[in-house]
Amino acid sequence: MARIELRGIAKRWGESVAVERTDLAIGDGEFVAILGPSGCGKSTTLFMLAGIYEPSDGDILFDGTRVNEVEARDRNVGIVFQSYALYPHMTVRANIGFPLRFKKVVADAAGRRTLAMARLVQVEELLDRRPAQLSGGQQQRVALARALVKEPELLLLDEPLSNLDASLRLVMRGEIRRLQRSLGVTTILVTHDQIEATTMADRVICMSKGKIEQIGTAEDLYQRPDSLFVAGFIGSPPINLLQGQAEQGEARVGEASLPCLPRASGPVVVGIRPEHVRLGAGELLAQVSDLEPHGRETIYHLSTALGPLHALEAGAVARHRVGDQVPFALDSMLIFDAATGRRVAA
């Protein structure tokens, strides 16, 4: 496996900057997710690691060795694309074993490795079928086996679950994580899906507009977001964001005042997670304008003196109805500087 380092890498297409100068270190055997919206530079970063794109600036190092000019086929990288990119005229057996042709593995050894990998991803009974005869989940498993059969130093996953239905995505998230742990391969997942990133990866790299906004665990990004972008991108249902004015330890939001740390001053944005709006007790008052039952929980749409709020409450049966006046309190909140978008206090 490999330790991966990016030292000041950037990618430009003429005057357009896809990825700004970036430094990053990924440990040997670590599972990292690059998370962000479409166009943020995450796939471009992955393609630079794979050798498909050459960086405009900076260096890419595998175990301390610079690989900028090393061809993609010589980097010993396995990659699973969003489309799976299986060869339609080949059987599952031939698809999985295809990368071994370029490693000059003798036929008997290639056959054994192909079978072992098929068993690992649970497609050994499908070896004589062709891709058109497989379900989406089976194709994804074959693509994984093909990427892993050559024993790569680095495994790259480019939106690998986006073509699967919701229940199969749940299964495959666990399967990919199990495989990564058992093999110990350094893995980078690129995704726009926060659930995939936060449930599968050891660390999450959140990107926006070609630059890294924050790196940390799922808990770091959720509880301690560095910026408004991270706070808004991580969390479902999304965080409540309210404009306010802070001075002398208070933030004036709408027609109410909230306590905040004295260092917060001037225009601010107050972030309140829906689950931190505690209904049924407190000095603030809300009117329920709508509600969304979600089975195990309910999302309430509230009209308050602070402004519109969403509240999340556990329980299969909603405790409040549309039109109810309900007292509430805030268990915690985040304060961001309105001008810079950076977090000031919690």
Side-chain angles (χ1 to χ4, degrees):
M1 306 312 124
R3 172 181 167 81
I4 309 298
E5 292 180 79
L6 307 181
R7 295 181 181 174
I9 68 158
K11 184 62 181 177
R12 295 182 299 275
W13 307 103
E15 297 298 316
S16 175
V17 178
V19 177
E20 297 187 11
R21 291 183 67 88
T22 298
D23 295 301
L24 178 64
I26 299 169
D28 189 352
E30 189 176 14
F31 193 144
V32 166
I34 304 178
L35 173 68
S38 179
C40 73
K42 58 187 186 296
S43 289
T44 301
T45 302
L46 180 137
F47 291 154
M48 287 191 284
L49 284 163
I52 297 170
Y53 295 161
E54 186 174 343
S56 303
D57 295 308
D59 295 320
I60 300 173
L61 292 89
F62 288 10
D63 284 333
T65 301
R66 186 175 182 271
V67 297
N68 288 40
E69 285 81 34
V70 176
E71 294 287 339
R73 65 171 179 246
D74 298 323
R75 288 195 186 187
N76 197 20
V77 169
I79 184 166
V80 178
F81 294 99
Q82 179 178 349
S83 63
Y84 311 137
L86 300 177
Y87 299 109
H89 63 289
M90 292 184 180
T91 63
V92 167
R93 188 189 309 275
N95 265 284
I96 294 174
F98 187 78
L100 299 178
R101 297 184 183 183
F102 301 99
K103 295 183 74 94
K104 298 180 180 179
V105 179
V106 297
D108 286 349
R112 288 193 298 272
R113 281 168 64 172
T114 296
L115 180 58
M117 199 54 57
R119 285 174 175 160
L120 189 66
V121 301
Q122 301 171 9
V123 296
E124 66 270 27
E125 296 179 359
L126 309 174
L127 286 170
D128 295 321
R129 296 189 188 181
R130 285 181 166 75
Q133 299 171 294
L134 306 179
S135 68
Q138 290 168 338
Q139 289 185 49
Q140 202 248 19
R141 289 173 186 270
V142 173
L144 263 174
R146 185 181 61 185
L148 292 167
V149 74
K150 62 179 181 178
E151 300 173 350
E153 293 180 285
L154 175 64
L155 176 63
L156 301 175
L157 306 173
D158 184 25
E159 303 271 10
L161 307 181
S162 60
N163 291 332
L164 304 180
D165 61 47
S167 59
L168 191 53
R169 282 202 300 272
L170 177 64
V171 172
M172 290 310 302
R173 287 203 304 264
E175 284 294 299
I176 291 172
R177 186 59 175 146
R178 177 186 64 81
L179 282 170
Q180 193 274 334
R181 283 176 174 161
S182 66
L183 298 173
V185 61
T186 307
T187 301
I188 300 174
L189 164 73
V190 160
T191 181
H192 67 277
D193 187 322
Q194 59 170 301
I195 303 299
E196 285 180 20
T198 56
T199 57
M200 294 170 68
D202 301 316
R203 286 191 300 157
V204 178
I205 301 162
C206 195
M207 290 189 70
S208 173
K209 298 179 180 178
K211 65 180 181 180
I212 293 175
E213 287 278 337
Q214 187 173 351
I215 303 173
T217 64
E219 181 183 3
D220 289 333
L221 271 63
Y222 188 79
Q223 301 286 2
R224 296 170 290 278
D226 286 346
S227 67
L228 274 170
F229 173 80
V230 176
F233 198 76
I234 302 290
S236 180
I239 193 171
N240 297 288
L241 296 174
L242 305 170
Q243 301 291 327
Q245 185 77 22
E247 57 180 299
Q248 298 180 339
E250 284 193 338
R252 183 72 182 176
V253 181
E255 299 174 3
S257 292
L258 301 172
C260 69
L261 295 178
R263 67 173 175 269
S265 178
V268 295
V269 178
V270 177
I272 304 166
R273 296 285 183 193
E275 65 271 25
H276 295 156
V277 180
R278 182 160 39 90
L279 299 176
E283 298 180 357
L284 297 165
L285 192 64
Q287 182 175 33
V288 179
S289 56
D290 200 0
L291 59 85
E292 301 175 26
H294 283 253
R296 295 179 302 173
E297 58 197 22
T298 300
I299 299 173
Y300 293 95
H301 299 247
L302 306 174
S303 297
T304 78
L306 300 170
L309 284 179
H310 293 111
L312 180 67
E313 190 172 68
V317 179
R319 295 195 304 143
H320 312 287
R321 298 181 179 181
V322 173
D324 285 357
Q325 296 281 339
V326 184
F328 73 95
L330 302 177
D331 289 335
S332 70
M333 59 186 182
L334 300 163
I335 307 294
F336 300 88
D337 184 280
T340 64
R342 308 307 292 179
R343 178 166 59 89
V344 177

